[in-house]
Amino acid sequence: SHVRAYKKSEWIAYLEKEGFTIQTFSTFKKTFNFDVWCEMMDVPQQDKEELNAFMNAASKNLQQHFSIELLNDQVQSFQGQSMLLVASKGETH
């Protein structure tokens, strides 16, 4: 996730290629605090400022899709899709 987030299909394909069987799979929306997320991802300050500007300049449809919350032109939070996946490998008893 520090370079890019893998798609759900990529995770499933990788696990199945390695011999795992998908037991359970669900997706859900997750809200991220922008400052905390940037810190957790070790985003350099200049990149953070550019990302903030990019999210501010995004179309209203895009801002709505990602539930981007702004306060005085500063991104407060945004929403992404997360997944919970349970897989097993080999025989289960």
Side-chain angles (χ1 to χ4, degrees):
S1 65
H2 284 67
V3 177
R4 76 172 180 89
Y6 290 105
K7 297 176 186 177
K8 295 176 295 242
S9 59
E10 291 174 304
W11 277 110
I12 292 169
Y14 175 74
L15 289 167
E16 288 177 340
K17 179 181 171 219
E18 295 300 318
F20 285 87
T21 301
I22 307 302
Q23 304 293 316
T24 307
F25 177 83
S26 62
T27 60
F28 56 94
K29 292 182 178 183
K30 182 176 180 180
T31 300
F32 297 91
N33 175 290
F34 183 71
D35 289 333
V36 171
W37 180 82
C38 286
E39 184 177 319
M40 182 177 61
M41 295 305 209
D42 201 24
V43 176
Q45 185 62 33
Q46 182 175 343
D47 292 349
K48 179 180 175 182
E49 291 169 10
E50 290 174 10
L51 182 56
N52 186 79
F54 178 80
M55 294 171 89
N56 262 287
S59 70
K60 291 298 177 194
N61 283 345
L62 198 56
Q63 287 183 4
Q64 189 174 36
H65 177 79
F66 288 101
S67 299
I68 297 171
E69 295 292 330
L70 303 169
L71 179 63
N72 300 323
D73 294 329
Q74 294 298 310
V75 175
Q76 301 299 300
S77 65
F78 64 95
Q79 209 172 65
Q81 189 179 63
S82 294
M83 70 173 189
L84 177 62
L85 184 140
V86 176
S88 62
K89 189 171 186 178
E91 293 184 42
T92 58
H93 299 289

